[in-house]
Amino acid sequence: MIEIKRPQDLARLRRLALAAQGLLQAQPYGRGLAGARKAINHLGYVQIDTISVVERAHHHVFHARVPNFRPDMTHQMLLDGDIFEYWTHAAAFIPIEDFRFSLPYKHAIKCGQTHWYKERDSKLMTELLARIRAEGPIRSRDVDTNSSKRAGWWDWKPAKKALEQLYMEGDLMVSSREGFQKIYDLTERVLPSHVNTQMPDMAEFAAHLLDRQLRGHGLMSMKGLTYLRRSTDLRKAVKDLVQEKLAMGELEQVKVSSGEVFVMDAGALEHPVPRLNQRMLILSPFDNAVIQRDRLKSLFDYDYQIECYVPAAKRKYGYFCLPLLYRGEFIGRMDCKAHRKISHLEIKSLHIENHSFDEELLIAAFAAAVAQFCHFQACGTVSLTQAHPKQLALPLQSALKALEDKQEFATDR
């Protein structure tokens, strides 16, 4: 086992992890739609989220890695059959080539080995399947319901629950979206004919998961390799496979100062990694690089919690704080909201927590990142209300104003 003790070794380990995520290079996967296809094929999934105070998470993840990405490209990939929607650790877009690895979970739900809903309305599900087969794709809003009252957004009407159950069991797929509303159709009509639909055995599934995690992250803890996967058999298969590859010298272990142990490809620390640059990235709270919070804390010493689920009075940083990545480190976070009707990005608060960088360069990098972010949000103006530490507020506001005066915040959407 390699013990990481020197700061320069930890910095290199972090660069390896970030490079695997495509967050060090300017265009690691290319540009536009072709780049987005390559990005998701490399990452293995992109999490879908409903929150829209800024562009939704699944668009944001692509934006951070693919120049000239537009939000409509995600939908185009879905229509083209490049990706499909299903569940990984959460709702996600997944490369279509990985379809067969969604089958074990679908089978487990259909056979009752695990539950999506505790009460399965088989009669309504049969009726919905017959209707879709006869009439074509359907939205949940297209189906009448006898439910007279709703307790809240979580109290879905029976038709919605039945459609989601059919989707989770694999009888239906999401064929398209209208706005953010799913449109369901029969799997046999949505799935491209060339896609492999053979159920993987446990060994294949474990090998796939290990390969995907190491390809997309560079290094992972044992817990991280099966992140939020509840199958005891799958966890055991992954653990056995890792032990086998460690014994054969194909994998090696590294231990960081927190005590966390990661596995990685043997010799990976000696491989070339991209150099650091002055570019700052504004990431989504659901970005692949930050979603495993324990890993983030152990590897980057960055303690992050999304606070939209925290009561307002208890929030420390804000409703939807976005992690800031700069020169290989997570240096802070900003809470913002895109006011789309007036094309304005409001930065409610900015927290810079790492003060080891040249202040002038950091301010310039932040302003440039916000300019790109405004373009992504279709916002032509920006305001910064609070900054921490406070002495950064005026220079940051001046830098943003200078770029605004130069009309750097272009809006072409």
Side-chain angles (χ1 to χ4, degrees), residues 126 128-136 185-186 188-189:
T126 300
L128 283 170
L129 273 179
R131 176 174 172 178
I132 294 169
R133 184 169 283 110
E135 300 178 13
D185 201 356
L186 300 177
E188 62 208 55
R189 294 202 291 234

Side-chain angles (χ1 to χ4, degrees), residues 260-315:
E260 186 70 82
V261 175
F262 297 94
V263 296
M264 59 197 303
D265 289 327
L269 271 175
E270 283 70 52
H271 293 169
V273 290
R275 294 181 179 180
L276 298 176
N277 54 48
Q278 294 298 330
R279 186 174 60 128
M280 185 179 292
L281 290 177
I282 301 168
L283 300 182
S284 166
F286 301 102
D287 193 280
N288 300 49
V290 303
I291 195 62
Q292 295 193 30
R293 312 301 193 207
D294 291 344
R295 178 181 186 272
L296 192 62
K297 182 70 169 67
S298 295
L299 186 57
F300 290 94
D301 195 26
Y302 185 63
D303 192 4
Y304 179 77
Q305 177 187 15
I306 186 170
E307 296 183 334
C308 56
Y309 309 117
V310 175
K314 295 184 178 181
R315 289 174 192 151

Side-chain angles (χ1 to χ4, degrees), residues 116-305:
W116 189 249
Y117 293 115
K118 290 183 179 179
E119 297 181 359
R120 183 178 184 274
D121 192 335
S122 299
K123 181 176 181 295
L124 182 54
M125 289 166 63
T126 300
E127 291 172 353
L128 283 170
L129 273 179
R131 176 174 172 178
I132 294 169
R133 184 169 283 110
E135 300 178 13
I138 200 171
R139 304 165 300 179
S140 59
R141 74 166 84 166
D142 296 326
V143 185
D144 293 331
T145 176
N146 295 321
S147 177
S148 60
K149 60 181 180 179
R150 305 281 296 282
W153 67 265
W154 60 89
D155 184 23
W156 288 350
K157 60 187 180 182
K160 175 65 175 176
K161 288 183 177 180
L163 286 171
E164 279 292 297
Q165 185 74 27
L166 287 165
Y167 163 69
M168 292 303 298
E169 290 184 8
D171 294 290
L172 298 180
M173 290 180 69
V174 175
S175 62
S176 179
R177 278 185 180 260
E178 187 177 279
F180 199 63
Q181 171 114 154
K182 292 177 183 175
I183 300 176
Y184 302 89
D185 201 356
L186 300 177
T187 293
E188 62 208 55
R189 294 202 291 234
V190 177
L191 192 65
S193 59
H194 68 273
V195 174
N196 186 345
T197 57
Q198 183 178 3
M199 176 77 74
D201 60 31
M202 196 59 68
E204 287 179 302
F205 199 177
H208 167 76
L209 201 56
L210 178 61
D211 176 69
R212 274 296 190 194
Q213 293 282 40
L214 292 182
R215 185 198 308 179
H217 289 283
L219 60 149
M220 291 296 291
S221 66
M222 286 303 304
K223 178 182 177 182
L225 287 172
T226 54
Y227 179 64
L228 295 186
R229 304 272 183 171
R230 298 180 180 178
S231 169
T232 303
D233 290 340
L234 179 60
R235 289 179 178 178
K236 184 180 183 303
V238 170
K239 183 178 180 180
D240 290 346
L241 180 60
V242 168
Q243 293 301 323
E244 177 186 333
K245 287 183 174 290
L246 285 170
M248 295 174 63
E250 296 179 13
L251 297 178
E252 62 187 1
Q253 295 177 307
V254 292
K255 185 177 182 180
V256 296
S257 59
S258 67
E260 186 70 82
V261 175
F262 297 94
V263 296
M264 59 197 303
D265 289 327
L269 271 175
E270 283 70 52
H271 293 169
V273 290
R275 294 181 179 180
L276 298 176
N277 54 48
Q278 294 298 330
R279 186 174 60 128
M280 185 179 292
L281 290 177
I282 301 168
L283 300 182
S284 166
F286 301 102
D287 193 280
N288 300 49
V290 303
I291 195 62
Q292 295 193 30
R293 312 301 193 207
D294 291 344
R295 178 181 186 272
L296 192 62
K297 182 70 169 67
S298 295
L299 186 57
F300 290 94
D301 195 26
Y302 185 63
D303 192 4
Y304 179 77
Q305 177 187 15

